[in-house]
Amino acid sequence: PVQTPLAGKTIVITAGPTREKIDPVRFLTNHSTGKMGYAIAAEARRLGAKVCLVSGPVTLTPPAGVETTNVESAEDMYQAVVEKFNDADVVIKTAAVADYRPKKTYDSKMKKQEGGQSLELERTKDILFELGQKKKHQLLIGFAAETDQVEEYARKKLIKKNADMIVANNVKQEGAGFGTDTNIVTIFKKDGSQVNLPLMTKTEVATYLLNEVANQLKKEELK
Ligand code: PMT
């Protein structure tokens, strides 16, 4: 039988890195390839959800049957996600969004000069935080990419961002984080509980996470 525990649900998933423009030839970015987010999008579709994927620049092909919006900067991603937020039942923020962008962007290539150069940065919007403020019925799930004190930082993010779950990965761990086909995650939930998952493929992580999501949605419906 076809498994459709997410039938009738709309899920917005963000994936990939953002690019923050410096000039026409340069930008700031990070190592996200979109693999984690695209795996969640494909699984969510397979489990029957209507899936809106908001993707930063990656080389992956969007999964079949998924509505994809391509964005570049953190600001673009914010606009695209907010536009879809009211109709969403679940938002999963896998994207590695820039926390800073160049304060000034140049329309012409910056020319080399003698000596050093510094770049002034300003904060981007924290999309997850903003969604946490706007949240009504939506289930809000963030990721946390950490290199140290994973549990402490993940629990802080859960509270500060008003999220229902935070999926933490230690990106220094072999087989976890950026670029790999596998991940090692711990899911922190609002009720204080946590699930430590072993090394799994990103598809297996997606299946596990979406099962948690389906259970949580069912609980909310019974309330
Ligand atoms: O794409 P892959 O190569 O498969 O790699 C997967 C991954 C490592 C990118 C993924 O597993 C992951 O950890 N994603 C979150 C990366 C991240 O930006 O973590 P963070 O701890 O900096 O941010 C916490 C949360 O806030 C994230 O849900 C992020 O989407 C969100 N955020 C961050 C900054 C910002 N300005 N706006 C946000 O919404």
Side-chain angles (χ1 to χ4, degrees):
V2 189
Q3 256 214 320
T4 56
L6 295 174
K9 302 297 178 192
T10 299
I11 305 199
V12 175
I13 298 161
T14 71
T18 62
R19 280 183 187 171
E20 307 304 324
K21 184 182 166 188
I22 299 170
D23 72 9
V25 298
R26 305 178 179 96
F27 52 82
L28 300 175
T29 189
N30 59 66
H31 290 297
S32 174
T33 58
K35 283 182 181 175
M36 189 66 248
Y38 277 55
I40 297 172
E43 269 303 279
R45 180 73 198 115
R46 194 180 67 82
L47 297 177
K50 172 175 188 250
V51 181
C52 304
L53 176 63
V54 178
S55 178
V58 299
T59 57
L60 303 173
T61 307
V66 164
E67 175 199 312
T68 307
T69 306
N70 293 305
V71 298
E72 286 235 338
S73 65
E75 182 60 30
D76 295 343
M77 189 171 276
Y78 172 78
Q79 299 295 344
V81 172
V82 164
E83 198 188 293
K84 298 180 190 321
F85 192 57
N86 282 339
D87 296 330
D89 297 293
V90 182
V91 179
I92 306 181
K93 291 232 61 246
T94 320
V97 185
D99 292 314
Y100 295 93
R101 65 177 170 217
K103 192 158 184 186
K104 194 167 170 0
T105 61
Y106 295 87
D107 291 332
S108 305
K109 183 182 172 190
M110 286 171 77
K111 299 308 282 180
K112 268 203 302 277
Q113 292 169 13
E114 284 305 313
Q117 173 70 272
S118 59
L119 190 62
E120 200 178 345
L121 303 178
E122 64 183 11
R123 287 287 297 270
T124 55
K125 285 195 190 98
D126 185 330
I127 306 169
L128 188 57
F129 179 83
E130 301 277 340
L131 297 181
Q133 304 294 302
K134 287 184 204 296
K135 183 165 92 155
K136 294 194 182 82
H137 60 282
Q138 293 92 345
L139 207 59
L140 189 57
I141 298 161
F143 269 65
E146 306 292 353
T147 56
D148 308 278
Q149 293 155 268
V150 176
E151 171 159 2
E152 184 191 335
Y153 289 136
R155 287 200 183 279
K156 276 191 181 151
K157 277 183 184 159
L158 187 65
I159 294 165
K160 182 164 177 239
K161 305 204 181 197
N162 195 23
D164 296 282
M165 283 181 223
I166 290 282
V167 182
N169 42 195
N170 182 339
V171 296
K172 275 210 283 198
Q173 228 176 338
E174 176 98 26
F178 297 110
T180 48
D181 289 325
T182 55
N183 207 353
I184 307 168
V185 307
T186 303
I187 302 175
F188 296 91
K189 299 189 217 170
K190 216 165 59 175
D191 65 8
S193 65
Q194 72 181 71
V195 186
N196 295 66
L197 295 179
L199 180 88
M200 290 176 157
T201 65
K202 283 181 174 168
T203 299
E204 288 166 341
V205 171
T207 309
Y208 190 95
L209 178 63
L210 290 166
N211 232 350
E212 289 278 333
V213 166
N215 287 340
Q216 197 59 41
L217 288 173
K218 219 182 277 164
K219 264 194 224 160
E220 301 285 330
E221 275 161 22
L222 292 175
K223 265 187 195 168

